[in-house]
Amino acid sequence: MRNTAAFNEGREGDVAGLVREVQGRVGALADLLHGLSEEVVEGSDATGAVVARVSGAGRLLGLTVDPRAMRDLDHVAMSAAIQGAIGAARSEVGERLTRAMADLTPDLTPGLTADAGADPPLGDPLAPYVRALLREE
C-alpha cells in the first residue's frame, strides 16, 4: 500500500495508484461483508436454556428454547433469556467482524482488538481530516 502510506504521511503520491489501492480495499471489504452475511452464528443466554441463531448481518434466524425453560421460567425471565441469547449471538457477529477487519487492514489497525473502543479507531489515516471537517460545520 505504497500510495496509501504516502498520503498518510502527507506526501504527494500517485493519485491513480491511490485510487487503485482504495478500490482494491473496497472490493476486499465488500467480499468480507458478503461472506460474513452468509454465516450463521449461535449464542445462548447465561443458563443455556435459549439458543439464538443470527445471520452474519445480525438478523434473527431462529430460537431454540429448552422445554424445561418453558416450564420453569415465567414470561419476564423467558424474555430476558431470549434477549440474552440474541445479544450473545450478535456480540459474536461483532467480534468476528472486528477480527476480520483487523486481518483485512493490518497496516491501518495496529493493536485493534474486539474491545478496543478508541475514537477514532487506531491508525485511521483519515481521522484528522474527518475531525477537521466536523469542526467546520
Side-chain angles (χ1 to χ4, degrees):
M1 297 285 139
R2 185 183 81 231
N3 296 304
T4 303
F7 172 77
N8 196 24
E9 294 167 2
R11 295 183 285 123
E12 288 186 24
D14 175 19
V15 175
L18 178 63
V19 169
R20 282 190 303 275
E21 288 176 10
V22 169
Q23 286 175 334
R25 286 192 183 226
V26 168
L29 177 61
D31 292 343
L32 171 91
L33 293 175
H34 178 72
L36 186 61
S37 72
E38 292 182 344
E39 290 186 28
V40 175
V41 180
E42 289 188 350
S44 64
D45 70 313
T47 66
V50 179
V51 176
R53 287 182 320 285
V54 299
S55 71
R59 192 178 69 246
L60 180 64
L61 300 175
L63 289 171
T64 304
V65 180
D66 187 304
R68 288 176 296 191
M70 295 291 286
R71 181 185 65 232
D72 296 341
L73 300 178
D74 66 8
H75 66 283
V76 175
M78 179 64 74
S79 173
I82 290 170
Q83 289 177 338
I86 294 170
R90 287 183 174 162
S91 281
E92 175 60 25
V93 169
E95 289 173 14
R96 287 184 186 192
L97 178 59
T98 299
R99 285 190 304 268
M101 288 299 297
D103 291 343
L104 181 65
T105 58
D107 55 328
L108 297 178
T109 55
L112 182 65
T113 61
D115 61 346
D119 185 30
L122 298 172
D124 184 354
L126 299 178
Y129 304 104
V130 171
R131 281 196 299 269
L133 179 67
L134 292 175
R135 280 192 298 265
E136 292 176 8
E137 291 183 313

